[in-house]
Amino acid sequence: MDSVDALIAQIQGLSSSPEDINALHTHLNQSEELLLSNVNRLANSLEQLDPSKHSLGYLYLLEASTSGPISREQSGEIVRCIARFIMTCEAEQIRLAPEKFLSVCKRLKDQVMLLQVPIQGIAPLRGAVHKLQSSPEHLTPLHPDFLLLCIMAKCYKAGRSVLSDDIIEVDQPKDFFLYCYYGGMIHVGLKNFRKALEYLHNVVTAPMTSLNAIAIEAYKKYILVSLIYSGQVPAFPKYTSSVAQRNLKCYSQPYIDLVSSYATGKISELETCFEANMEKYKSDNNVGLVKQVLSSLSKRNIQRLTQTYLTLSLQDIANLVQLGNSKQAEMHVLEMIQDGEIFATINQKDGMVSFHEDPEQYKSCEMIERIDSSIQRVMALTKTLHAIDERISCDPAYLAKMGRERPRFDLDDFDSVPQKFL
């Protein structure tokens, strides 16, 4: 019996109890060189193992067997093999070797991207995220990879499944930046601009000692989404890092120009700015969002009309907000009625639009449930924040660093964030 066969026998014999698995883990770490020197044999050896029972040993062999160059012909089978392993492996075992598990999962992501079938990696990586997490509040390095696949496959609703948890525990800052950036893009794809703003806001205002490319790209999208959602871009909050406040605008001039043009309320000026900076928007892959900014100005101008007029013809609306014709005006009005942005009826016979007051009385059972749900969430978050604050306040390293220094910010500096984004 050679060394590889002996290792397989050990994996099969030491995968039942926690004590055996810990002993196996030690032996597998000592067998790294053996595995790498027998890479070509490991694929066949995997057939002797059950990934649900021998998860730790299977992981070590799988990671080693896929460590070399992978041809396009091999990619399909490797994707299927890794996906089967992720879906059936035992979480407690793979958490003993998280780096190995991460390596295997990232190879799956790389291969489905290479094959241009990102949708095939969504279900396996979603399962991998849950198996690697120590709790729902834990952000793993697989979160950004999973969200990226959802974006590439345009499966935005699938991405929302890992964005519903409140993240508190973060291992690496880069993972947090990417998670929030991709999270913002997921919600942009879902047309949920309020939540998209929340995630992009977290990137832009996160602590940083030097500017990074993720923050720059997030700020560009933050500007566009802010215009779409509220028609203006808020100033940096006081807690934003000085690095971000000093430098982000310098890298985003075409977008700052767009803000200035938007503020005039004139479609023609906004279109001129769009045309002048078209190549930059294309290179940033933001043309689609910029077009939505153009559309939002027309809608916002229509909203202003509801504050002045009770009825208007579709042609009058087209003239007042600089649309091409009454048909375009009708399309915008219908879309705004459907999205709840205005309350109006259109008389198709004479082409007249009647504007109404908001019918919401905030007394339905559904509205009460929504308010109660929001209150419960705020209470839970408050409790969690108090616990974190107490833990940090008692941390010797924190106390030694802070000494008797006065806190940098007052409580009032933070008031605007929860009110806007909860």
Side-chain angles (χ1 to χ4, degrees):
M1 181 182 293
D2 64 20
S3 298
V4 174
D5 291 333
L7 182 60
I8 296 297
Q10 285 188 317
I11 293 171
Q12 292 170 334
L14 295 175
S15 295
S16 53
S17 68
E19 294 78 12
D20 286 347
I21 291 172
N22 285 330
L24 175 63
H25 186 207
T26 300
H27 190 72
L28 287 169
N29 283 333
Q30 296 170 350
S31 304
E32 294 265 18
E33 189 174 332
L34 169 67
L35 293 174
L36 292 176
S37 61
N38 290 274
V39 166
N40 295 331
R41 294 184 51 194
L42 297 181
N44 293 330
S45 299
L46 284 172
E47 297 176 2
Q48 303 176 48
L49 300 175
D50 182 344
S52 63
K53 295 179 181 178
H54 313 123
S55 301
L56 185 62
Y58 198 102
L59 172 61
Y60 269 76
L61 268 66
L62 182 59
E63 196 274 337
S65 67
T66 57
S67 60
I70 300 172
S71 67
R72 193 174 183 85
E73 293 73 24
Q74 296 173 310
S75 291
E77 180 55 36
I78 287 177
V79 166
R80 287 187 289 272
C81 180
I82 296 177
R84 283 195 302 269
F85 169 70
I86 292 173
M87 301 305 285
T88 59
C89 68
E90 183 67 33
E92 285 73 15
Q93 291 193 36
I94 60 97
R95 285 179 190 164
L96 293 174
E99 294 303 319
K100 296 283 184 185
F101 189 66
L102 286 172
S103 176
V104 166
C105 292
K106 287 182 178 293
R107 279 173 200 158
L108 170 69
K109 185 262 294 186
D110 292 340
Q111 293 308 307
V112 296
M113 294 285 282
L114 179 67
L115 295 171
Q116 298 182 338
V117 286
I119 195 170
Q120 291 186 14
I122 290 177
L125 277 196
R126 179 165 51 194
V129 165
H130 293 313
K131 289 187 176 182
L132 194 60
Q133 278 183 306
S134 57
S135 71
E137 293 84 17
H138 176 210
L139 179 67
T140 74
L142 292 179
H143 275 81
D145 289 333
F146 169 71
L147 293 177
L148 177 59
L149 291 184
C150 292
I151 293 168
M152 298 303 295
K154 292 183 170 58
C155 293
Y156 305 120
K157 289 184 178 179
R160 193 167 54 188
S161 64
V162 304
L163 293 171
S164 58
D165 297 320
D166 293 310
I167 296 298
I168 297 172
E169 182 184 349
V170 179
D171 294 333
Q172 297 293 331
K174 182 181 178 182
D175 296 334
F176 177 77
F177 278 96
L178 285 174
Y179 168 78
C180 291
Y181 178 64
Y182 291 149
M185 292 176 68
I186 289 285
H187 282 293
V188 165
L190 292 168
K191 305 292 185 183
N192 189 348
F193 295 113
R194 182 182 68 83
K195 289 296 291 183
L197 264 184
E198 177 182 340
Y199 281 92
L200 295 171
H201 173 274
N202 288 341
V203 181
V204 172
T205 61
M208 62 183 88
T209 55
S210 60
L211 203 60
N212 61 72
I214 304 170
I216 293 171
E217 295 308 309
Y219 184 61
K220 294 172 183 177
K221 286 183 170 60
Y222 178 75
I223 290 173
L224 299 177
V225 175
S226 293
L227 291 177
I228 294 169
Y229 180 66
S230 64
Q232 58 186 351
V233 180
F236 289 115
K238 293 181 181 178
Y239 51 84
T240 308
S241 70
S242 58
V243 171
Q245 294 193 51
R246 285 197 310 266
N247 299 302
L248 280 177
K249 290 185 178 180
C250 301
Y251 290 90
S252 311
Q253 193 57 51
Y255 299 85
I256 303 299
D257 294 343
L258 203 67
V259 175
S260 301
S261 300
Y262 196 99
T264 66
K266 298 178 180 178
I267 298 292
S268 57
E269 290 200 21
L270 195 60
E271 289 177 338
T272 299
C273 180
F274 176 48
E275 294 297 330
N277 295 293
M278 173 69 80
E279 292 306 313
K280 180 58 178 174
Y281 300 142
K282 279 185 178 179
S283 65
D284 291 338
N285 292 316
N286 283 331
V287 171
L289 266 180
V290 176
K291 288 181 178 179
Q292 291 184 67
V293 170
L294 291 170
S295 177
S296 76
L297 182 56
S298 297
K299 291 180 179 180
R300 195 148 277 113
N301 286 340
I302 291 174
Q303 283 179 324
R304 292 192 185 100
L305 296 178
T306 67
Q307 300 170 11
T308 307
Y309 301 94
L310 293 176
T311 59
L312 273 176
S313 70
L314 288 170
Q315 188 57 55
D316 286 339
I317 293 175
N319 294 337
L320 288 169
V321 302
Q322 301 177 11
L323 293 172
N325 51 52
S326 60
K327 198 67 180 175
Q328 289 186 22
E330 182 179 16
M331 180 187 68
H332 275 81
V333 170
L334 285 172
E335 187 176 333
M336 293 177 73
I337 293 172
Q338 182 179 356
D339 294 341
E341 296 173 342
I342 62 171
F343 304 95
T345 54
I346 300 176
N347 188 325
Q348 296 289 346
K349 185 177 180 180
D350 55 15
M352 296 297 293
V353 179
S354 299
F355 300 114
H356 311 302
E357 296 290 331
D358 184 351
E360 178 60 66
Q361 298 296 311
Y362 298 95
K363 60 183 181 181
S364 66
C365 292
E366 181 183 357
M367 181 57 67
I368 292 172
E369 288 176 0
R370 286 177 59 188
I371 293 173
D372 181 67
S373 175
S374 295
I375 292 173
Q376 294 299 324
R377 179 170 180 265
V378 170
M379 291 173 63
L381 285 173
T382 300
K383 184 177 179 180
T384 301
L385 286 172
H386 278 310
I388 293 173
D389 182 60
E390 288 181 5
R391 189 167 67 248
I392 293 175
S393 298
C394 298
D395 184 89
Y398 172 78
L399 294 173
K401 184 175 181 179
M402 294 301 294
R404 297 180 178 274
E405 291 182 11
R406 181 181 180 276
R408 181 179 173 189
F409 304 115
D410 294 325
L411 184 61
D412 291 342
D413 295 337
F414 298 87
D415 284 349
S416 61
V417 178
Q419 291 174 2
K420 182 171 184 179
F421 292 128
L422 284 177

